[in-house]
Structures are given as structure tokens and as C-alpha cells.
Amino acid sequence: MKFTKLSLVAMLLVGSSAFAIENVKVSGDTKFFYSTQDNTYDSSYTKNERTGLFDQSTSIGEASLSVGVTADLTKGISAGATLSGITTLGLQNNVVGGTFTGNLQSNSWFNEAWLAGTTGKTTGKVGRMQLDTPLVFSETWSVLPSTFEAAVLINQDIPDTTIVAAFVGKSNNNAVLGGGYGDNGTDARNNVFQSFYKGAYTVGIQNNSYEPLEVQAWYYSANIDANATATQNISGLQSYWLQADLNMKGILAGVQYTATNYDYTNKSDNNAFAVMLGYDKKDVVTVKGSYSQIGKDSVNSKGAGANLAGSQSKLYTEVWWYYGKITQNDTSAFNVTVTAPLAGYDLGLYYTQAITKDGFNSGGADATFVEVTFEVAKSFGPLDTGLYYIYIKSDNDNQKSATDKGEAYNTVQVYLTYNF
């Protein structure tokens, strides 16, 4: 699934400059997302006799409502808050068996609540907010975006250069990205935001002194790896990300490199690189091809390049829907993306293939994953609509036994968003 590309710089400046003319602004959206698939077997190799498309047991659906307010409080000081709610609309009784957030209970909370201040070319922002950095970013594939409790400082005194520093203390990714609420109770609002690695720091720099080229470098330090098991006795992880993107007269090119040190009892590290080449003819077609390679961690079998606050990745080869495949240990992947507007519709074709060395569940063989997505999207005034067909063939999924490679299956998705 595509995710909205909104830079961290833009998100910070929206609070400090975008509303200088209009003192108070109210906006929001309501969404309804639906997904259904026809996989036959679950993770324990149990066959489900009711697995057709649109069957309740293999379908998820959910609605959300978000209302946000931003305002200038004094000169250079602004604030914003977004109240969000989620509900199944009662569809879990006979239409869907799950949700995008991972919980069938209705709930509401302030998904954003921040205060921002600007002096000269320096802006600070603190509170709940969306973030967009290479290894810590808000994922937007669910009915609500994941957000963070963070403090961010940005400076643009150096021409064509942006320097960013941030501390991230909490995240709601478990509550909105398929994990459900922290306590699974009837009122989980107090547990929606949970500790993010017991505190994480990032510093980044972005530069485009040569206008067709943008380069960026980021460093991350987290106190505890939230994905580690308790027995691994981890004391932290450190990551860095390097990237350069070129857009010259329609020619697109890019290169990415990232590495992470896992400070476990048995320390290890891993890395990933990706390259991309493409062509963009405005309002006609965009074509991109990319390749990525994840290194081999022989100690802890950890991958590299995934969002520390979810499962998506900013690597060029990321899939549309089945996140977490291209960033596995010792995995190579390639992606072909073609998008084009046609007769008022936005059309897209997304193909990804990933091969994980010795990655088959039963061991001793490589695991292959293929995902093909067809997109048809159109906006009708404030209403954004999208229809998607996804073909998935994964050796490690939809298996009838541990030694049988997975069978192909189909997914259909519908996205409706009304903006106001």
C-alpha cells in the first residue's frame, strides 16, 4: 500500500506558518476501509472451509472519524489537536472478522496534540504528532495514522539545508497498525500510547544545494529494542541511513544504504542497500524499477531497513500490502512500479518479488515471495476512492503443511475517504 509522503519539515512548518493568515482552521476526514482475501490455510496449517472472497472469516473492515483544529496562539506560537475515533459499525457481527487496527472495540483518543514555536529559522514542536524520517515514521495504511509523543527541533540557517533533531518517547503503532489496544479492555484509551524503545533519539540532515539532487543522512539511537525477546537482554540499538535521490528532467535515480547495530547479549549488525531508476512524464506516466539487498546477520538473524515503529519500509522495493518481507535477513528484492492517470482515474501496477536465502519455514531452502497489485483510484470532489486487487504467492504463507510451500491467494480492497 502506498503511504502519504509528507516531509518532516512540512509537518513542522504547518504548525508555525501555514495558518498565519487564517488564525483558526478546522479540518478532518472520515474513512471506511475494507479488505477481503481467499487464503485457505492459517498459520497452524489448519484448513478453513469458508475462505472465499467476501467471507466474514477472511475479511477486515473499519471506519474512522478525525477532526482537527490548529490555531496561532501568539506571534510565532501555534498549537493543534486532532480527536480521532474508530468503529466497526457493527460489521463484525456478519461481514468482517477483524479490523485494520486489530481490535473490534470502538474507541477514541487525541491522535495529535502539539505545541510549536518558531524563532528565526528554527522551529520546535512538542506533543503528539506524525513523523516522517527514514526509520521512524507514521504509517498511514490503517484507518488512522500512527503517531508519536515526541519533541522535534528543526533548523534551516544553512542555505538549502535542513537539520533535524528529535526525541521520541511513545508511539501508538500497536493500537492502530493491527496490534489492537494495550490492555484489550473495554476502555483502552489510557494505553493507546506506549513506550517507544524506552526513549529513542534521531539526528538528520537534508540538503539540495544542487536542485535536482537531494541527499540526506540520519542517525538513530534507541535504549531498548522493542522487537527483542526478554531473554536477549538487549541494552539498545543504533542505526544510520544514507540516501540520495535525483530528479532531472524526468529521469529518476536513487540510492539508499542503512545499517543497524543490535546490542544484544550476543551483539550483531546488519545492513541494507537499494537502488532505483525510473522515468516520469508529468500527467502521462511514471515508471520505476528498483532492487534491494538485505545483509546476513548470522548471530541474531535480524533484518534491516524496516520502520522501528511498525513493519513498513522506506526502501524503494517495498510492497503494496504485505509488509515485512523485503526487510528480512539475507533477502534480495526487486520492484517494478507503473502509475498513470487515464480518463480521470489514477491507475497503478506494483510488482515485487523477494527471495530470502534459506528462509523456508521448514528449513534448507530459499523462500520466494511475490506480490502484484492493480490500483484504480479516483477523487470525486472531497471523496477519495480506491479499488485494489492483490495477487500474493508466498512460500511461507497459506501452507497446507509445514513442508508444503504456500498456495497463491487473492485480495480485494476498497478505500473510501471523505475530507472536510
Side-chain angles (χ1 to χ4, degrees):
M1 177 183 290
K2 294 184 294 185
F3 46 86
T4 303
K5 294 199 178 225
L6 183 62
S7 71
L8 177 60
V9 176
M11 286 186 289
L12 288 170
L13 296 183
V14 73
S16 57
S17 62
F19 304 103
I21 298 177
E22 189 173 354
N23 187 47
V24 177
K25 184 176 181 180
V26 179
S27 61
D29 60 57
T30 183
K31 299 177 181 179
F32 177 74
F33 290 179
Y34 174 80
S35 179
T36 183
Q37 60 193 44
D38 63 358
N39 59 303
T40 305
Y41 302 95
D42 62 20
S43 58
S44 62
Y45 318 115
T46 301
K47 185 176 182 179
N48 186 345
E49 300 298 336
R50 300 184 60 189
T51 57
L53 289 175
F54 310 109
D55 191 272
Q56 180 184 6
S57 64
T58 55
S59 301
I60 62 173
E62 196 167 12
S64 70
L65 173 65
S66 295
V67 179
V69 179
T70 56
D72 292 330
L73 303 183
T74 62
K75 183 178 179 181
I77 303 295
S78 58
T82 300
L83 180 62
S84 300
I86 54 175
T87 178
T88 65
L89 301 174
L91 296 177
Q92 77 272 20
N93 294 321
N94 54 24
V95 178
V96 301
T99 65
F100 283 78
T101 62
N103 201 296
L104 295 174
Q105 302 165 8
S106 298
N107 207 345
S108 63
W109 62 84
F110 279 98
N111 212 36
E112 295 188 48
W114 50 262
L115 183 69
T118 298
T119 177
K121 295 184 179 181
T122 300
T123 297
K125 189 174 183 181
V126 62
R128 291 182 179 178
M129 67 191 81
Q130 294 188 50
L131 295 178
D132 188 8
T133 76
L135 289 175
V136 177
F137 59 90
S138 297
E139 298 188 14
T140 59
W141 56 265
S142 185
V143 291
L144 290 179
S146 56
T147 55
F148 303 85
E149 293 187 357
V152 186
L153 190 66
I154 181 170
N155 178 269
Q156 294 177 302
D157 280 315
I158 302 175
D160 304 312
T161 302
T162 299
I163 300 173
V164 179
F167 169 78
V168 183
K170 289 186 176 183
S171 170
N172 69 354
N173 61 294
N174 286 332
V176 302
L177 302 180
Y181 306 121
D183 65 357
N184 294 317
T186 57
D187 185 357
R189 283 173 288 187
N190 293 329
N191 293 313
V192 167
F193 285 83
Q194 299 179 346
S195 177
F196 183 75
Y197 292 80
K198 293 190 176 179
Y201 303 84
T202 182
V203 177
I205 184 169
Q206 300 169 311
N207 177 272
N208 69 327
S209 297
Y210 176 55
E211 189 171 344
L213 178 69
E214 180 178 292
V215 296
Q216 54 183 311
W218 297 83
Y219 171 78
Y220 301 83
S221 177
N223 290 326
I224 287 183
D225 182 356
N227 299 313
T229 64
T231 58
Q232 288 175 314
N233 191 27
I234 187 170
S235 61
L237 64 79
Q238 298 79 40
S239 302
Y240 61 89
W241 180 287
L242 305 174
Q243 181 170 339
D245 291 288
L246 180 71
N247 186 346
M248 179 181 290
K249 297 181 180 180
I251 301 299
L252 308 176
V255 59
Q256 300 168 321
Y257 179 81
T258 183
T260 298
N261 296 318
Y262 300 101
D263 195 8
Y264 292 0
T265 301
N266 297 315
K267 296 184 179 182
S268 68
D269 59 76
N270 207 347
N271 57 65
F273 80 89
V275 292
M276 179 271 295
L277 186 63
Y279 177 74
D280 174 45
K281 186 171 180 59
K282 187 177 180 181
D283 299 325
V284 178
V285 68
T286 300
V287 180
K288 292 187 289 186
S290 56
Y291 172 83
S292 65
Q293 176 66 56
I294 310 301
K296 184 176 182 179
D297 177 357
S298 300
V299 178
N300 294 304
S301 299
K302 299 290 289 185
N307 185 7
L308 298 179
S311 57
Q312 237 176 351
S313 175
K314 293 277 192 177
L315 292 175
Y316 301 125
T317 54
E318 181 59 291
V319 302
W320 173 270
W321 178 242
Y322 207 139
Y323 310 127
K325 291 294 187 179
I326 69 160
T327 53
Q328 291 181 340
N329 186 43
D330 202 6
T331 296
S332 60
F334 70 89
N335 172 279
V336 176
T337 295
V338 181
T339 58
L342 180 65
Y345 292 87
D346 293 320
L347 306 180
L349 170 64
Y350 310 88
Y351 177 91
T352 300
Q353 177 175 301
I355 299 176
T356 301
K357 190 70 174 177
D358 299 325
F360 184 52
N361 285 339
S362 61
D366 295 348
T368 300
F369 170 86
V370 174
E371 179 183 291
V372 185
T373 300
F374 298 91
E375 172 190 28
V376 179
K378 183 177 177 61
S379 293
F380 300 88
L383 178 63
D384 299 329
T385 66
L387 176 63
Y388 303 86
Y389 166 75
I390 306 168
Y391 168 89
I392 294 176
K393 176 68 169 68
S394 174
D395 288 348
N396 287 333
D397 303 288
N398 198 31
Q399 299 172 257
K400 64 180 180 180
S401 74
T403 57
D404 288 304
K405 293 190 175 182
E407 300 177 0
Y409 62 96
N410 308 285
T411 301
V412 175
Q413 297 180 336
V414 176
Y415 297 96
L416 303 175
T417 301
Y418 184 82
N419 304 287
F420 56 86

